């Protein structure tokens, strides 16, 4: 798993050699057991599975809207086993 960014206690990652709809894995908390975790579609921010608080889901969707191309590129790299670079949490209110 490659961490792309983190903000407000949320960690956004992609898995290596993943499949299916391009998505990011989001977890609240840096160590197991995580408080919450979910897979979020990169294309439209849809909740694929898991559970996040509504405020956290809004933050992830805002981040995805600002970094959709970079998140898609990271997923494409990770899917074939290449470590993607980090993406800054550069949206208003996200640090």
């Amino acid at each position: 798993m490659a961490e792309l960014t983190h903000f407000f206690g949320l960690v956004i990652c992609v898995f290596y050699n993943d499949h299916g709809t391009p998505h990011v894995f989001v977890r609240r908390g840096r160590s197991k057991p995580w408080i919450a975790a979910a897979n979020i579609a990169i294309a439209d921010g849809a909740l694929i599975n898991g559970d996040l608080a509504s405020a956290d889901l809004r933050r992830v969707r805002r981040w995805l809207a600002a970094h959709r191309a970079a998140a898609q590129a990271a997923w494409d790299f990770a899917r074939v086993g290449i470590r993607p670079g980090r993406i800054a949490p550069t949206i208003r209110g996200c640090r």
Side-chain angles (χ1 to χ4, degrees):
M1 179 175 10
E3 182 178 314
L4 300 180
T5 194
H6 62 274
F7 51 86
F8 285 106
L10 298 169
V11 181
I12 300 179
C13 306
V14 290
F15 285 100
Y16 292 104
N17 304 310
D18 211 342
H19 58 279
T21 303
H23 61 278
V24 292
F25 176 73
V26 181
R27 68 180 190 254
R28 176 164 278 293
R30 297 202 51 90
S31 60
K32 289 185 179 180
W34 301 314
I35 298 166
N39 288 314
I40 310 293
I42 292 171
D44 59 5
L47 178 66
I48 297 171
N49 59 35
D51 184 38
L52 282 179
S54 59
D56 290 342
L57 186 55
R58 280 192 304 273
R59 286 179 179 124
V60 172
R61 286 176 172 158
R62 284 179 42 215
W63 180 85
L64 274 172
H67 300 286
R68 197 166 317 281
Q72 180 65 54
W75 193 83
D76 291 339
F77 281 124
R79 185 173 185 193
V80 295
I82 300 170
R83 182 172 183 79
R86 298 207 20 115
I87 304 171
T90 55
I91 63 172
R92 187 175 160 157
C94 293
R95 301 187 260 176

